[in-house]
Amino acid sequence: QVQLVESGGGLVQPGGSLSLSCVASGRIFSINAMGWYRQAPGKQRELVALIISGDSTNYADSVKGRATISRDNAKNTVFLQMNSLKPEDTAVYYCHVRARPQYSMGSFNYWGQGTQVTVSS
């Protein structure tokens, strides 16, 4: 019902920047929240940044001051800009959307396929 397509990521040098984007498509009635999570090898998936209706944002302590999340409501797209990247930012980054599909009374969580971000010289 709802599909997410991520773009961006790749190999970045320490101190560099990255930009990720994620487009939600399908039979969407409304989107409650959009965000980014990441999972490093051997670790649990963790929240990176979240933006909810009204453009309220929430960031993990580890990325505060280095990350900016934004969204284009008209295009059902969420963006993540991260600066001053560190090797510990290396992970698979997943787009997350909580949305209410058309003809549904409830909202559900949807995940992208993930995009690898590697911070290394």
Side-chain angles (χ1 to χ4, degrees), residues 1-2 27-32 98-110:
Q1 290 177 314
V2 179
R27 297 182 175 183
I28 301 171
F29 178 79
S30 63
I31 293 178
N32 308 115
R98 184 161 180 85
R100 177 181 171 185
Q102 288 183 353
Y103 314 119
S104 173
M105 295 302 294
S107 296
F108 303 91
N109 294 312
Y110 298 92

Side-chain angles (χ1 to χ4, degrees), residues 39-81:
Q39 187 168 18
K43 294 187 177 181
Q44 289 188 334
R45 190 174 298 189
E46 63 176 5
L47 173 70
V48 178
L50 183 69
I51 185 167
I52 62 175
S53 299
D55 291 338
S56 175
T57 58
N58 186 30
Y59 295 94
D61 288 342
S62 59
V63 303
K64 279 181 180 177
R66 300 190 296 123
T68 301
I69 188 170
S70 60
R71 63 190 284 184
D72 183 335
N73 292 326
K75 297 182 179 179
N76 289 339
T77 302
V78 61
F79 305 94
L80 180 68
Q81 174 74 32

